[in-house]
Amino acid sequence: MSDNKSIRTALVSVYHKEGLDDILHKLHQEGVEFISTGGTRQFIESLGYPCEKVESLTGYPSVLGGRVKTLHPKIFGGILNRRSLETDQQECQEYDIPAIDLVIVDLYPFQETVSSGAAAEDIIEKIDIGGISLIRAAAKNFNDVVIVASKAQYPALLDILNEQGATTSLEDRRWFAREAFAVSSGYDTAIFNWFDGAEGSALRVAVDHSKALRYGENPHQQAAFFGDFDQLFEQLNGKEISYNNLLDIDAAVSMVNDFDETTFVIVKHNNACGLASRPVLVDAWNAALSADPVSAFGGVFATNVPIDKTTAEEINKLFFEVLIAPDYDFDALEILTQKKNRILLIQKEAAGSKKQFRSLFNGVLVQERDTHTESTQDLRCVTEKETDDLQIEDLLFANKIVKHNKSNAIVLAKNKQLCAAGVGQTSRVDALKQAIDKARSFGMELQGAVMASDAFFPFPDCVEIAQEAGITAVIQPGGSINDKLSIEYCNNHDLAMYTTGYRHFKH
């Protein structure tokens, strides 16, 4: 028995009609009969094609303000009846249920209505009942029925109609069924998350777009990216973006988006190895690079202002993987596109979801994304010495960087320039020593610099080492039972210490 099935009758009921006319034209040419409701029926008839009203088939009008139109045995029997099962065919004949071979339906725009800030009663009315039921019924009976559940699948259906006529294979119908259940599951996820609000009683995530990657973190690992990368970025040049590229891109844009001034960041393995803010972009680039030109090789670069020719000429001297900017001057692109593998991205809008996810054991860890940056109002001086406004700016600058680097993390900064960072160490002392050694190796002047820590100091050893290296101001969250020892050392050695978590700071 052939798996190919002919389409003789189509039920069409859609909210979005863009692109539907070509499909209707081809179906009509193939002799397919239409059944439809309301506005869709009027649209079909306006194209000159005959269309039977659902109400004529069911014998019932649309009732309850349009809430009930297609929920009827003659509709669902026509979709769900198994053509190869004799008892189903006998019942369809007995109750005069016509076979429906193609269902084209979409759903009320629930997510768009929520995003618009509509009132709760308007949102509730955009919870589709008939459409979602038609989708599930037709997808379940994919052995006999084709389901098109979104305008995103119109091109695929039109290709089949042009190549095969009004005939589909089992493989075709199964593909459409898979896509249909993706639509319905995503729709239900959005509805649940709206009802659940901030309670977080269960984790429901649905992402439509997916892209297979060459490999994961290592060559032997398979990987894919789920999300709409093109919504956030436009790729102007370069090779295919990798798993590790994506991690560094996320780290780079998360950092640079925290800065309002003209800023350049250089990222390697998700950590900042160079970062500076300057009034002129090329100066920001040069200052960022000088902190660690070795690690910058093969890195991911990001800035928050368009790339000009002068800056492009400097960047062009170094091998890099990815460059991200809000735009590029034409002559800058002429320079940067000389190497075909360089990935050049325009960041179109702020990236990042409100939550972060990490798989763990047999579950998932979820936390809010840390989008908070401290201001002068968030700082509290806990030492006898207070510093000046310029060094306060350096403290806030360093604190933005250390927030993004991997713990244990220490950042040393001066004049809105990252002098060095110690990252990913098993002790905070080791992170500080790493930062000091790196700063000295590249000739960075630490006298009068500031230190930022991503967590409290359990002992005063870090402030002792920092003071000996020339650090004169420190910022940290606070919260150790030994905070008073660190404060005492600062008071005895003319250091200023500020905390961002003063509600937990132990005096």
Side-chain angles (χ1 to χ4, degrees):
M1 185 175 176
S2 173
D3 288 333
N4 290 341
K5 300 286 183 179
S6 296
I7 300 172
R8 298 183 178 88
T9 302
L11 172 64
V12 187
S13 180
V14 296
Y15 189 89
H16 301 286
K17 299 172 181 64
E18 303 88 354
L20 184 63
D21 48 353
D22 290 338
I23 292 172
L24 294 172
H25 175 71
K26 188 62 179 177
L27 289 171
H28 179 68
Q29 281 187 331
E30 296 288 333
V32 176
E33 296 180 351
F34 298 120
I35 304 170
S36 190
T37 62
T40 306
R41 179 183 59 80
Q42 293 173 9
F43 178 75
I44 294 171
E45 291 178 341
S46 73
L47 297 174
Y49 311 135
C51 181
E52 182 178 5
K53 293 181 180 180
V54 163
E55 295 90 334
S56 299
L57 177 63
T58 63
Y60 280 87
S62 173
V63 296
L64 306 180
R67 283 189 166 195
V68 181
K69 291 182 289 221
T70 57
L71 297 169
H72 191 278
K74 283 201 172 183
I75 298 296
F76 282 86
I79 296 169
L80 285 166
N81 82 82
R82 292 156 288 189
R83 277 54 164 181
S84 61
L85 194 63
E86 183 61 29
T87 54
D88 279 12
Q89 298 311 301
Q90 290 173 355
E91 289 182 350
C92 286
Q93 186 173 2
E94 179 181 355
Y95 296 109
D96 193 24
I97 298 174
I100 297 173
D101 312 301
L102 168 64
V103 176
I104 303 177
V105 63
D106 59 13
L107 301 171
Y108 291 155
F110 176 83
Q111 289 170 282
E112 293 87 340
T113 305
V114 172
S115 299
S116 73
E121 55 268 25
D122 295 323
I123 293 172
I124 292 294
E125 288 307 311
K126 287 299 185 286
I127 298 177
D128 207 309
I129 303 301
I132 202 80
S133 302
L134 291 169
I135 288 172
R136 292 179 63 84
K140 176 177 180 177
N141 201 25
F142 69 90
N143 276 322
D144 298 304
V145 179
V146 183
I147 172 62
V148 178
S150 165
K151 63 180 180 180
Q153 288 131 41
Y154 287 178
L157 177 63
L158 188 59
D159 286 345
I160 290 172
L161 293 173
N162 286 329
E163 294 171 10
Q164 303 167 195
T167 302
T168 60
S169 67
L170 181 61
E171 182 181 1
D172 295 331
R173 296 190 299 278
R174 185 178 177 87
W175 182 86
F176 279 109
R178 184 197 71 182
E179 296 299 301
F181 282 121
V183 169
S184 66
S185 62
Y187 195 75
D188 285 339
T189 294
I191 294 170
F192 166 78
N193 286 332
W194 180 73
F195 274 98
D196 197 44
E199 290 186 27
S201 64
L203 177 63
R204 297 286 185 272
V205 180
V207 183
D208 290 332
H209 301 273
S210 68
K211 177 180 175 61
L213 304 174
R214 286 175 293 164
Y215 52 84
E217 189 172 0
N218 298 293
H220 62 275
Q221 293 174 278
Q222 292 185 345
F225 172 70
F226 290 88
D228 189 356
F229 188 80
D230 293 338
Q231 178 186 346
L232 305 178
F233 300 95
E234 178 184 355
Q235 184 169 350
L236 303 179
N237 189 73
K239 60 186 177 180
E240 184 179 350
I241 296 173
S242 72
Y243 180 96
N244 290 322
N245 287 155
L246 287 170
L247 291 176
D248 280 338
I249 291 168
D250 179 64
V253 297
S254 295
M255 289 184 206
V256 81
N257 286 345
D258 274 350
F259 292 86
D260 296 322
E261 297 177 78
T262 297
T263 300
F264 229 114
V265 60
I266 300 172
V267 166
K268 198 71 173 287
H269 299 295
N270 315 150
N271 294 294
C273 60
L275 195 153
S277 296
R278 294 288 186 271
V280 178
L281 181 61
V282 69
D283 295 336
W285 161 256
N286 288 326
L289 180 63
S290 65
D292 188 351
V294 174
S295 295
F297 183 86
V300 170
F301 310 153
T303 184
N304 54 2
V305 298
I307 301 287
D308 55 43
K309 180 183 179 181
T310 303
T311 308
E313 288 173 338
E314 292 300 312
I315 297 172
N316 195 49
K317 298 174 182 178
L318 188 69
F319 168 75
F320 64 89
E321 285 280 322
V322 184
L323 175 59
I324 309 141
D327 207 349
Y328 299 80
D329 291 351
F330 178 78
D331 46 8
L333 274 179
E334 285 188 321
I335 295 167
L336 294 169
T337 54
Q338 291 173 8
K339 301 290 179 65
K340 65 178 183 178
N341 284 334
R342 284 176 174 168
I343 299 169
L344 303 180
L345 299 176
I346 289 178
Q347 185 180 357
K348 296 189 283 190
E349 58 182 85
S353 63
K354 294 180 180 179
K355 294 185 178 181
Q356 293 176 306
F357 306 90
R358 181 172 178 174
S359 61
L360 192 71
F361 303 124
N362 61 346
V364 179
L365 283 173
V366 182
Q367 69 172 355
E368 292 181 347
R369 183 178 287 272
D370 184 3
T371 58
H372 179 70
T373 57
E374 281 76 20
S375 66
T376 53
Q377 288 73 31
D378 298 311
L379 301 186
R380 182 183 182 187
C381 183
V382 295
T383 53
E384 295 170 359
K385 179 183 178 180
E386 296 186 15
T387 190
D388 58 31
D389 290 344
L390 290 177
Q391 205 163 48
I392 289 290
E393 290 185 4
D394 277 347
L395 288 170
L396 293 171
F397 174 88
N399 201 52
K400 289 177 182 179
I401 302 172
V402 81
K403 163 185 138 178
H404 294 281
N405 281 355
K406 305 303 178 186
S407 196
N408 286 304
I410 293 288
V411 162
L412 307 179
K414 185 177 180 180
N415 299 328
K416 295 185 180 178
Q417 177 186 19
L418 172 63
C419 297
V423 300
Q425 300 302 302
T426 52
S427 90
R428 200 155 299 278
V429 170
D430 287 343
L432 175 57
K433 289 180 177 178
Q434 180 192 57
I436 293 171
D437 289 345
K438 178 164 285 193
R440 288 172 173 166
S441 70
F442 293 112
M444 303 300 294
E445 176 57 60
L446 293 181
Q447 187 62 46
V450 303
M451 173 175 70
S453 174
D454 69 329
F456 63 68
F457 299 117
F459 302 101
D461 44 8
C462 279
V463 291
E464 293 176 22
I465 296 168
Q467 185 268 334
E468 292 171 359
I471 303 300
T472 55
V474 176
I475 186 170
Q476 60 137 335
S480 168
I481 60 173
N482 291 323
D483 280 341
K484 62 181 180 180
L485 298 178
S486 296
I487 296 171
E488 183 180 353
Y489 183 89
C490 289
N491 287 334
N492 291 335
H493 293 82
D494 202 31
L495 267 73
M497 178 179 285
Y498 290 77
T499 176
T500 58
Y502 56 86
R503 281 185 290 272
H504 308 292
F505 199 86
K506 305 293 192 300
H507 291 279

